[in-house]
């Protein structure tokens, strides 16, 4: 889900097919919004697509994008960004974070934040980024979100807030329902749902219990195992 605060915005998300069959998932937020932010967003997204075909590890990808942005990004601007690599059959997830909001992981009996640290992109050359590895269990859901959601205000000036985001994450059974639920909660909460101070971006990843097993070669699973006698007519 993506909703810019103006005609154009600085938030972005992307899904990238990687050479090894895994999926790269990106969410980012450029400071400010409008045309300048949109131009920086487009540059950052292009760099990510280029560099993810050369490097796989999320920490290295963010470090390379950062070094390319430093010196070219306008003064007083930077990009918060999260990049993760996900293997659907195994549920293995590797993530690096460049100053972006922590994602929420909904487990069967809990909601947790995934913590990885690093400076936003475009600030300091040579910045390194922590990398975290985990396995997303079957049935679990991961929410990536920009700060336009948590920083929305109601008529009384109260923030929507990260605790409220986490509570909503824990109350929905699937990723698709979660995104719709967050949008509904935001529209009911905001002082004026038609006017937002910042872009709002939501990306939900759901690992279904029916995901194929990674056993054996390739990304296939056995549906049936049978034999047929070698006799004419049995083709």
């Amino acid at each position: 889900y993506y909703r810019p605060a103006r005609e154009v915005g600085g938030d972005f998300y992307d899904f990238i097919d990687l050479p090894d069959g895994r999926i790269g998932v990106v969410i980012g937020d450029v400071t400010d919004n409008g045309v300048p932010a949109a131009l920086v967003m487009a540059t950052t997204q292009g760099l990510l697509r280029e560099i993810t075909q050369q490097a796989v590890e999320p920490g290295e990808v963010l470090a390379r994008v950062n070094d390319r942005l430093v010196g070219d990004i306008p003064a007083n601007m930077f990009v918060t960004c999260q990049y993760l690599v996900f293997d659907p059959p195994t549920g293995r997830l590797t993530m690096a974070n460049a100053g972006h909001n922590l994602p929420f992981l909904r487990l069967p009996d809990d909601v947790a934040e995934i913590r990885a640290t690093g400076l936003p992109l475009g600030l300091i050359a040579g910045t390194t980024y922590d990398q975290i590895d985990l396995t997303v269990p079957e049935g679990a859901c991961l929410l990536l979100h920009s700060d336009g959601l948590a920083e929305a205000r109601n008529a009384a000036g109260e923030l929507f807030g990260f605790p409220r985001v986490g509570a909503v994450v824990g109350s929905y059974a699937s990723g698709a329902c979660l995104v719709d639920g967050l949008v509904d909660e935001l529209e009911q909460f905001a002082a004026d749902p038609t006017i937002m101070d910042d872009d709002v971006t939501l990306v939900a990843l759901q690992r279904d219990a029916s995901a194929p097993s990674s056993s054996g070669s390739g990304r296939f699973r056995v549906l049936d195992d049978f034999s047929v006698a070698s006799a004419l007519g049995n083709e």
Side-chain angles (χ1 to χ4, degrees):
Y1 174 85
Y2 172 62
R3 177 178 173 180
R6 302 178 187 172
E7 287 79 5
V8 293
D11 279 12
F12 63 95
Y13 69 90
D14 203 356
F15 300 95
I16 303 170
D17 291 327
L18 300 176
D20 61 0
R22 292 184 291 172
I23 301 170
V25 184
V26 181
I27 186 170
D29 183 0
V30 181
T31 49
D32 203 3
N33 43 44
V35 173
L39 292 173
V40 173
M41 176 271 290
T43 299
T44 306
Q45 193 168 9
L47 286 172
L48 281 160
R49 281 199 159 261
E50 173 191 341
I51 292 171
T52 53
Q53 302 307 305
Q54 306 164 6
V56 175
E57 296 302 319
E60 182 181 355
V61 169
L62 291 185
R64 290 194 190 186
V65 172
N66 175 70
D67 287 346
R68 292 276 293 273
L69 282 176
V70 171
D72 291 335
I73 197 168
N76 302 317
M77 293 188 76
F78 57 83
V79 183
T80 67
C81 184
Q82 229 158 50
Y83 176 56
L84 61 89
V85 174
F86 184 60
D87 185 34
T90 65
R92 187 178 176 221
L93 182 146
T94 306
M95 186 192 81
N97 191 353
H100 199 77
N101 298 331
L102 301 179
F104 286 97
L105 177 63
R106 192 204 65 229
L107 301 167
D109 56 357
D110 192 19
V111 175
E113 290 181 315
I114 302 177
R115 297 183 175 273
T117 60
L119 290 175
L121 304 174
L123 290 178
I124 302 174
T127 299
T128 58
Y129 295 89
D130 289 347
Q131 194 165 281
I132 186 169
D133 291 279
L134 67 147
T135 297
V136 178
E138 292 183 347
C141 177
L142 182 71
L143 176 74
L144 312 181
H145 55 106
S146 67
D147 54 12
L149 175 62
E151 294 178 3
R153 293 181 181 273
N154 62 12
E158 177 190 8
L159 289 171
F160 191 89
F162 293 111
R164 193 188 306 266
V165 177
V168 176
V169 171
S171 63
Y172 284 89
S174 74
C177 293
L178 170 59
V179 170
D180 291 341
L182 283 167
V183 173
D184 289 343
E185 291 278 346
L186 178 60
E187 290 182 347
Q188 294 175 29
F189 177 86
D192 184 350
T194 65
I195 301 175
M196 301 301 295
D197 293 329
D198 200 0
D199 308 330
V200 177
T201 303
L202 307 170
V203 177
L205 302 177
Q206 174 85 27
R207 187 181 179 214
D208 292 334
S210 59
S213 169
S214 63
S215 60
S217 61
R219 295 179 177 272
F220 301 94
R221 57 176 172 153
V222 176
L223 298 179
D224 197 6
D225 189 357
F226 62 92
S227 62
V228 178
S230 180
L232 186 63
N234 279 355
E235 295 85 356

